[in-house]
Amino acid sequence: MPRIFSDPEAIADDIIRDVGPRLVVGLPLGLGKANHIINALYRCAASDPSIHLTIFTALTLEKPTPSADLERRFIGPVIDRLFGAYPDLDYAKALHAKALPPNIEVVEFFFLAGKWLGNGYAQQQYISANYTHASSYLLARGVNVIAQLVARRVVNGETRYSLSGNTDTTLDLMRARADGRIAFKILAQVNSELPFMPGQGDLPGDEFHAVLDSPETDFPLFAPPSEPVSDTKYAIGLHSAGLVRDGGTLQIGIGQVGDALAQSLIVRHHDNAAYREIMSRLAPAQAPREAEPFAKGLYGVSEMFFEAFIALIDAGVLKREVDGALLHAAFFLGPKSFYRVLREMTPEQLKRIQMVPVSFTNQIYGNEEAKRKARVDARFVNNAMMATLTGAVVSDGLDNGQVVSGVGGQYNFVAQAFALDGARSLLTLESTRGSGKSVASNIRWFYGHTTIPRHLRDVIVTEYGVADLRGKSDAEVIAAMLNVADSRFQIELKQQAKDAGKLPKDHEIPAAYRENFPERVTAALKPSRDAGLLPTFPFGSDFTDVEQRLIPALRLLKEATASPLALLKLAWEGRRANHSAELAACLARMQLDRPASFADRLYRALLIAALARSSKS
């Protein structure tokens, strides 16, 4: 049985005595990190140069760090409320401060999006990897310690521990250990908020070398609040929902598009006439291929499990079982309400959600015949940053070599889409980024970095529609991509393709696709927004009502900062606006109800005008 500790320093000293001064520590992706244990190991190494510590991980979670004053006023109380007691990771603080000791090495294969741009050490130590390859890289480096957050329960007098939301690489590594390919120790830190998930990650105590279990080291789980779903994201979700076949299989990637897609599928199932009406307004020239309610239902197999999947189960959309499960997943992350729902599920409900290794969810190798039979008509839906007119996709990095996030499982799922009969890869992206004079197209003629090469082009979805690229010629692909590009950039993109000899000189974009403007999308969705079919937070929110009211106004203000003239107009409007109790609550929440300086008075006027404008949109 494992040794039980209440002191992080003691468990760190114990593992160093047992393993030796060369520590290669595997930390699970995202939520599953044993924060107190890795911090204690970090402190040991930082104070003793004879210890060499390598930390191999991904998705290091950190509290948001506001920069601008208005952002600080808004997000500061949210951070305190949602993340106040979450223990910071010492290695991350050292990386930001450029103060990592020379005997400590930190390697990641997936970044929190945008967090490490410009950080030379993090960028240099990044490993570009498919999610399914991460465990093999750990084996090659000689991992000798895994430090994982676990849930605990006692069954018939026996203490058992659950890997909970991070079965992903740990189960694959444990299989390698059982096969004799590696020897390592697993250190566990018990967390009372972590749901105890049954299945392959439900382990006896003797699988662990030592366990940290103490009220002093318990902490609230990292719980990022759900973000508001914009019109653009809803349009992408609605178009994607029209490609999902009843009786099929569904994978969804990280982000607001996942929430938008799930809500769109629920509307399609429960209010089919309303879904068809939305689509007739949104895409009059491109009717959805699949629009019926879900009689057979879907089966879910997704590396990431988040709250939208629970909503799909509750709505009866996800109801096709495979081996007793509605969903197989490899890791989870979500808001506090998501973890609470999992903790409160009955055993029968939990059995339908099975946490498995990433080698199961992200590839078909290993029991391939059964996987092929289960994953019929699969739709793998993942987000992208940019795409080229010829169908190459950019999802993880920039053309200067800087890494934004990582490949993760995206390439895995694209490969599955080509390996499975009837499967399709749906890569989604907003057609533009920025606003005002800084707006730019996310559909490019050329870009100097690629995540998914153009020979694996399949389906691209933007807010303006669906570009089906599989098996098409370059000219056909370019024409399809132009149809889903923002009309402010279509002429230039079309000319670039013609100049390169890749598009016929007489090609014209069909009239139905020459009105690809944000205003048209907003107008098409407004009746359904007003009717409550497409709520800003489809699955609830940790933001208060006042905060939810402030979010669109603050977004409008952020966009206006690109133009001094726009800011002046807002300030003038704010000085003349009518006041109300709702407005007073918003001003109080932003500490602007009693302005004490010129800056406060300016912020107050700007916010009043932004609130008035956003309420009309």
Side-chain angles (χ1 to χ4, degrees), residues 232-242 257 260-261 264-265 275 461:
T232 298
K233 295 289 174 49
Y234 258 128
I236 293 171
L238 287 159
H239 288 302
S240 300
V257 168
L261 170 58
S264 299
L265 291 170
Y275 174 73
V461 184

Side-chain angles (χ1 to χ4, degrees), residues 298-312:
L298 305 176
Y299 155 63
V301 56
S302 185
E303 68 176 26
M304 184 176 182
F305 167 32
F306 57 107
E307 61 182 341
F309 278 107
I310 293 179
L312 289 170

Side-chain angles (χ1 to χ4, degrees), residues 464-486:
Y464 299 121
V466 175
D468 188 340
L469 312 180
R470 186 186 287 198
K472 304 291 178 63
S473 69
D474 276 4
E476 291 172 321
V477 166
I478 292 167
M481 290 296 292
L482 285 170
N483 289 349
V484 298
D486 190 286

